[in-house]
Amino acid sequence: MNGKYSPSIRLDEPVPNPVMQANDLTVVEERIPHHSVIASKVEPETIRYDPIAIAEYFRHRPLEVFGRILKVLFPIISFAFGLWWDKQRSRAVKNERRRAIQLRELLTRLGPAYIKIGQALSTRPDLVPPLYLEELTQLQDQLPPFPNEIAYQFIEEELGDRPENIYAELSPQPLAAASLGQVYKGKLKTGETVAVKVQRPDLRECITVDLYILRRIATWANNNIKRVRSDLVAILDEFGYRIFEEMDYIHEGENAERFAQLYGHIKDIYVPKIYWQYTQRRVLTMEWIVGTKLTQAEAIRAQGIDARYLVEVGVQCSLRQLLEHGFFHADPHPGNLLATPDGKLAYLDFGMMSEIKPQQRYGLIEAIVHMVNRDFEGLAHDYVKLDFLTPDTDLTPIIPALARVFNNALGASVAELNIKNITDELSALMYEYPFRVPAYYALIIRSLVTLEGIAINIDANFKVLSAAYPYVAKRLLTDPAPELRASLRDLLFRDGSFRWNRLENLLRNASSSQEYDFNQVLDQTIEFLSSERGAFIRNNLVDEIVKGIDALGQNTLHNVTSNLRDRILKAPLANRLAWAIEETPNASVEQEQTLEHIKRVWNILQDTQGFDASKIAPQIPQLLLKPELQRMGQQVASRLAQRAIARLIREVLVSPEPAYTNGQVKPRPALVPIPAKAKV
């Protein structure tokens, strides 16, 4: 075993709680039975963020709070002054490297809460200059480590034995050090190579006082700044709950296993195994992953791996997290996303996770559909459903504002969408109108913006929302949820007219999704059309089917009569016989367009993976037995018959009739109606 314990640390004495002493806990528990000052002991070794108890604790320690404020404020003001002074002396470019190092060191000294801000900025090459980006990247896993002696002591306290008796090998120094802990490479006595993560000392004390100060500032801002309509306190509390969960490695292990169960089956996604026998609240032992950071594109390419493909894999996995199951990785910075040598994307660090409720997930999908479809009235109602606007908000002025803002962000197509443009435009809109930011949305945006930052680092032209739309299209076509069925109807129909171009776009995008199953789409389409909820679409589809069949019939008849006339005209006495066969007119422009759309849709279906026309034929007899589809067929036949009769009457009774003049065929005058009193 490499490394020795410091003789100054007695292993038979537990390390005192860095935030409170035992008498503090006893006193507070008398007032708040189920909560400690900082973290409530829900069950042994489980901690929970409690903002009320935190406020109670620090209310009696103003000097400690004031000291922390000064410790944070002075370095920030000093750094800002340095930037200003460089600008005044025209030395900003010359000193940029030095200032970037100062910023990294400043955030490191200020502690975990500020380190996480730096980690978020380290993924935004579109916002942060390259030299700053390079330095901030070190905050992901290259922070100064704490002494081995303390780490070994925590291992012994948590796992009940000295490290050398637990692990066959343990690296002499940590291989990575992040905001909340540091990681050693080890080997179990059973031979498995593992990562051993040990929590930093004094962690809760530092994080808690920062959360308390920031919460007080948020409360003041909510009460005194009218322009602030979002609940900043709720947003900060959401962050507090997640970061306290992140400090409990048992909770992180449970998150990892749940993540593996939900998303581990996705192609080229890998989730490491947790070794529970060697895991407790401050020590986590998990499978060691060999890999390269996703932002190191050149190193990934050198291994023959397509970095852009792995970004797309990450986008697809994130979509399932946010829109399918709702359990998502809220901290996907590059240190937590590795490209493995066999070309898979490995997720690490499951401490900060969050959840989205089903209604919020459906609301997000509906919002994407309405945004892409430029249905800004629907989008305004989506914001009400998603808690951005209160139900009593007057949407009349907001709808045109959304149209003005998003038309700028959307550009000409889905391919031009990017999260930064949309969030920037939306931020301006929220400032002007009574929007508020729900607490759950802050972590979603943090996750998506971080992911887009990684993508931009690999490919400056990568558009996360463009890559996401095939999944959204697939969900619209395959998800039986009533909310999404309504979104599909709104997408395909407008003012009673079927929009074929939308269907083509939807099918084309959905077919490029990895998990798109044509047979599933067919089965669910039939099921939906047969249901009561599908009545609206059935009625509209009858019109489109009639148009298509009628157009096909007219074009066929036109071709037959045209060819027949051409042959007769070449024969003797052609002029005398040609009048007997009139050339039927082509289908109308509208009918031709419908027919062309149907052909393109059929071509898209034929190119779709899993399409097999031979599998469709056996389903036809089953379809004919469904009462709703039988009525649909009867309506189609009835309307086709009505059109045929109307056309026959028009051709026979109204159309001009050919006649002979000097052996030449000429039109006959139209029949004149006979007055009612006239005698025949």
Side-chain angles (χ1 to χ4, degrees):
M1 179 72 184
N2 296 307
K4 295 184 178 293
Y5 294 100
S6 167
S8 62
I9 299 177
R10 293 181 57 189
L11 300 181
D12 58 343
E13 294 182 358
V15 177
N17 188 311
V19 178
M20 61 198 144
Q21 301 298 325
N23 58 339
D24 292 326
L25 177 60
T26 304
V27 171
V28 174
E29 283 185 337
E30 288 176 359
R31 296 195 302 271
I32 308 175
H34 298 293
H35 298 282
S36 68
V37 176
I38 303 303
S40 59
K41 294 267 186 177
V42 181
E43 53 187 46
E45 301 304 326
T46 300
I47 60 175
R48 180 178 294 169
Y49 171 71
D50 188 339
I52 297 175
I54 290 174
E56 178 68 20
Y57 176 80
F58 284 112
R59 189 174 290 116
H60 302 290
R61 291 163 175 80
L63 293 179
E64 185 177 342
V65 174
F66 185 68
R68 178 59 179 169
I69 292 173
L70 295 180
K71 190 176 180 180
V72 171
L73 197 58
F74 281 163
I76 291 177
I77 292 175
S78 176
F79 177 75
F81 178 79
L83 292 177
W84 176 83
W85 188 241
D86 286 345
K87 187 175 181 180
Q88 298 303 309
R89 297 187 302 161
S90 300
R91 298 172 65 91
V93 176
K94 182 179 179 180
N95 291 342
E96 189 175 26
R97 168 73 70 179
R98 183 162 63 91
R99 296 302 182 192
I101 294 173
Q102 285 180 354
L103 178 60
R104 172 178 55 80
E105 293 175 344
L106 170 62
L107 295 175
T108 300
R109 288 196 305 272
L110 292 181
Y114 297 90
I115 290 171
K116 287 195 170 292
I117 294 174
Q119 288 175 344
L121 290 174
S122 73
T123 66
R124 299 303 307 190
D126 52 334
L127 301 178
V128 180
L131 289 177
Y132 282 86
L133 201 70
E134 183 181 335
E135 290 298 323
L136 293 177
T137 300
Q138 297 183 37
L139 297 175
Q140 294 164 9
D141 55 12
Q142 300 176 44
L143 295 172
F146 59 91
N148 281 349
E149 290 79 6
I150 297 177
Y152 294 164
Q153 179 181 342
F154 283 4
I155 291 174
E156 182 167 352
E157 290 176 359
E158 294 295 318
L159 304 184
D161 205 346
R162 297 174 64 85
E164 62 264 31
N165 296 332
I166 297 172
Y167 303 101
E169 296 177 13
L170 203 63
S171 59
Q173 297 297 330
L175 274 66
S179 56
L180 303 189
Q182 60 193 33
V183 179
Y184 297 85
K185 184 177 182 180
K187 183 172 284 189
L188 300 179
K189 294 186 181 295
T190 51
E192 297 94 334
T193 303
V194 294
V196 182
K197 184 158 72 169
V198 185
Q199 195 171 108
R200 287 184 178 274
D202 302 335
L203 188 60
R204 273 186 289 167
E205 179 180 29
C206 184
I207 287 177
T208 305
V209 68
D210 284 339
L211 287 174
Y212 171 73
I213 293 169
L214 292 172
R215 197 174 191 272
R216 290 290 301 272
I217 294 172
T219 302
W220 180 88
N222 276 142
N223 294 335
N224 295 279
I225 303 177
K226 293 182 179 179
R227 283 288 185 180
V228 176
R229 289 179 291 265
S230 300
D231 192 344
L232 299 181
V233 174
I235 293 173
L236 192 67
D237 283 345
E238 177 72 12
F239 177 74
Y241 286 119
R242 301 309 170 192
I243 202 168
F244 261 72
E245 288 178 350
E246 195 174 1
M247 288 188 286
D248 184 350
Y249 287 166
I250 292 177
H251 189 75
E252 179 174 345
E254 292 170 345
N255 285 342
E257 290 196 336
R258 184 181 176 191
F259 191 91
Q261 181 182 12
L262 293 176
Y263 314 114
H265 67 280
I266 297 175
K267 188 175 184 292
D268 294 326
I269 291 290
Y270 192 83
V271 182
K273 176 184 176 182
I274 303 296
Y275 293 92
W276 285 109
Q277 186 179 350
Y278 311 102
T279 295
Q280 286 296 333
R281 186 176 63 80
R282 291 182 296 174
V283 177
L284 174 68
T285 303
M286 65 191 302
E287 178 185 356
W288 179 265
I289 300 295
V290 177
T292 309
K293 283 185 185 180
L294 206 56
T295 48
Q296 298 174 348
E298 292 302 323
I300 294 174
R301 292 189 190 101
Q303 302 175 54
I305 300 170
D306 185 352
R308 195 183 192 282
Y309 166 73
L310 289 184
V311 169
E312 292 177 353
V313 170
V315 169
Q316 296 305 314
C317 184
S318 294
L319 290 169
R320 282 156 183 76
Q321 293 173 49
L322 294 171
L323 303 179
E324 195 163 321
H325 299 290
F327 181 66
F328 70 97
H329 199 300
D331 194 20
H333 65 71
N336 295 336
L337 295 171
L338 300 181
T340 65
D342 58 350
K344 293 186 177 183
L345 179 63
Y347 277 80
L348 306 177
D349 194 350
F350 302 93
M352 184 171 285
M353 309 292 290
S354 189
E355 292 199 56
I356 312 174
K357 297 175 182 177
Q359 288 305 114
Q360 293 164 347
R361 300 201 294 270
Y362 290 128
L364 287 171
I365 295 175
E366 291 177 90
I368 292 172
V369 171
H370 288 144
M371 184 175 61
V372 171
N373 203 26
R374 287 177 167 80
D375 180 358
F376 299 113
E377 182 177 356
L379 186 60
H381 288 285
D382 292 333
Y383 281 126
V384 175
K385 293 179 188 175
L386 292 168
D387 293 330
F388 283 83
L389 296 167
T390 58
D392 59 347
T393 303
D394 180 13
L395 300 180
T396 306
I398 294 177
I399 293 169
L402 284 170
R404 183 178 65 253
V405 166
F406 279 103
N407 274 327
N408 293 335
L410 291 173
S413 68
V414 179
E416 297 180 17
L417 292 172
N418 70 73
I419 295 171
K420 182 180 180 299
N421 280 356
I422 290 175
T423 52
D424 287 350
E425 298 286 357
L426 187 57
S427 297
L429 189 70
M430 287 182 172
Y431 186 76
E432 187 176 354
Y433 293 94
F435 282 83
R436 56 189 183 181
V437 178
Y440 73 88
Y441 178 75
L443 285 177
I444 292 175
I445 285 298
R446 182 175 184 267
S447 175
L448 286 177
V449 167
T450 301
L451 184 63
E452 186 175 67
I454 295 171
I456 291 172
N457 188 75
I458 291 175
D459 180 354
N461 296 317
F462 192 96
K463 299 294 187 293
V464 169
L465 288 178
S466 177
Y469 196 64
Y471 170 80
V472 174
K474 187 214 74 164
R475 283 292 300 277
L476 282 174
L477 290 170
T478 60
D479 197 312
E483 297 88 346
L484 297 191
R485 296 291 92 181
S487 292
L488 180 61
R489 181 195 66 197
D490 294 341
L491 182 69
L492 296 180
F493 293 94
R494 172 172 288 177
D495 300 327
S497 298
F498 190 83
R499 295 189 287 179
W500 286 97
N501 61 321
R502 294 292 183 186
L503 178 60
E504 290 176 39
N505 185 48
L506 203 62
L507 289 170
R508 192 175 292 110
N509 277 283
S511 62
S512 63
S513 177
Q514 291 181 359
E515 296 184 356
Y516 181 72
D517 184 343
F518 174 79
N519 292 317
Q520 180 188 12
V521 174
L522 182 62
D523 291 342
Q524 292 190 347
T525 300
I526 293 169
E527 185 276 330
F528 178 66
L529 287 175
S530 305
S531 68
E532 185 177 340
R533 293 178 287 116
F536 176 83
I537 291 184
R538 281 201 306 273
N539 294 335
N540 284 275
L541 277 181
V542 166
D543 291 335
E544 299 303 319
I545 292 171
V546 168
K547 286 180 187 176
I549 296 176
D550 194 31
L552 186 62
Q554 275 197 264
N555 283 347
T556 302
L557 191 57
H558 168 78
N559 292 335
V560 170
T561 55
S562 177
N563 290 335
L564 194 55
R565 279 176 62 89
D566 290 343
R567 290 185 180 184
I568 291 174
L569 286 170
K570 295 176 183 178
L573 300 178
N575 289 337
R576 295 179 180 274
L577 297 175
W579 69 270
I581 301 175
E582 294 189 39
E583 185 176 321
T584 304
N586 265 322
S588 66
V589 174
E590 182 185 5
Q591 290 174 323
E592 287 282 5
Q593 290 175 342
T594 299
L595 192 58
E596 186 60 31
H597 283 306
I598 292 174
K599 289 177 182 177
R600 286 205 294 264
V601 167
W602 179 251
N603 290 334
I604 293 171
L605 293 178
Q606 286 181 309
D607 293 337
T608 301
Q609 184 178 0
F611 175 82
D612 187 352
S614 63
K615 293 182 179 179
I616 299 177
Q619 297 187 31
I620 294 177
Q622 298 177 7
L623 297 181
L624 297 177
L625 296 177
K626 294 182 178 290
E628 293 81 4
L629 296 184
Q630 285 178 351
R631 282 194 291 272
M632 191 173 169
Q634 291 168 0
Q635 287 177 320
V636 170
S638 173
R639 294 191 191 181
L640 284 173
Q642 290 173 10
R643 288 190 174 215
I645 293 171
R647 188 175 294 115
L648 179 63
I649 293 172
R650 185 171 61 250
E651 294 293 331
V652 173
L653 299 181
V654 179
S655 297
E657 181 182 345
Y660 289 113
T661 302
N662 298 326
Q664 299 294 323
V665 176
K666 72 173 184 178
R668 286 191 312 194
L671 295 176
V672 179
I674 300 173
K677 295 182 179 180
K679 295 183 180 180
V680 179

